[in-house]
Amino acid sequence: MADKIKVIITNKQKTVKIPTGIRMLVRRCCNAVLQLEKFQGPAEISVTFTDNKGIKELNKQYRDKDIETDVLSFPMGENGVYDTDMETGAKILGDVVISMEKARDQAELYGHSLQREVGYLTAHSVLHLLGYDHMEKLDRVRMREKEELVMDELGLPASSSYIVDKV
């Protein structure tokens, strides 16, 4: 088991009811990614649930994209160097912001549970906090493989393809 991982979860939306167990799932996802990546030492991650309006504002402010998105990652480290909480000694990995509206809609679109979608978005974002990106095809494939390994480990394997036929 990895060192102590502190996951601070905040719900800043009222559009989508947060199902029982989602907070525990988010914590388990964070732990599973850090374990997969052999992350050493205690860590702290902040996860915020928002709505489409909230994530659109953040996307515009920080990425100059005036559109809703499913998840945003705000890494606090670079090249494996992180700020440290002086009280706990934990490395502060960064912030994850998930649009629960987008997660709900994508779960429906892809034919799986909201839990699966939130877990996937969490795993995806924590990999970003650790420095992964998906701008190049090979990086995208590598990141997807890691995301799916975490989902399988948590008992939330992909139930279908991510390719959606537009009819």
Side-chain angles (χ1 to χ4, degrees), residues 110-122:
Y110 298 133
H112 55 237
S113 69
L114 179 61
Q115 285 81 351
R116 156 83 190 172
E117 189 65 21
V118 170
Y120 176 82
L121 294 173
T122 301

Side-chain angles (χ1 to χ4, degrees), residues 4-38:
K4 181 154 176 54
I5 311 300
K6 181 178 182 183
V7 181
I8 302 158
I9 301 173
T10 309
N11 182 19
K12 292 188 173 180
Q13 59 87 45
K14 292 184 174 152
T15 309
V16 177
K17 184 180 183 317
I18 305 298
T20 303
I22 278 281
R23 288 173 176 82
M24 181 57 70
L25 173 65
V26 166
R27 286 183 175 91
R28 288 179 60 219
C29 281
C30 291
N31 274 286
V33 170
L34 295 182
Q35 202 166 2
L36 176 70
E37 292 300 301
K38 297 174 179 40

Side-chain angles (χ1 to χ4, degrees), residues 1 6 18 22 30 33-34 46 55 59 66 69 72 81 96 109-110 119 121 132-133 138-139 144 160:
M1 187 68 188
K6 181 178 182 183
I18 305 298
I22 278 281
C30 291
V33 170
L34 295 182
S46 169
I55 207 153
N59 207 15
D66 194 18
T69 189
L72 292 170
V81 178
V96 171
L109 180 67
Y110 298 133
L121 294 173
Y132 283 86
D133 212 332
L138 187 59
D139 294 333
R144 176 57 56 89
S160 64

Side-chain angles (χ1 to χ4, degrees), residues 8 13 44 46-47 52 60 65 104 111 113 115-117 146 149 159 161:
I8 302 158
Q13 59 87 45
E44 185 177 303
S46 169
V47 178
N52 283 346
K60 180 159 178 41
K65 294 186 178 197
R104 177 198 60 205
S113 69
Q115 285 81 351
R116 156 83 190 172
E117 189 65 21
K146 289 177 181 287
L149 273 171
S159 56
S161 168

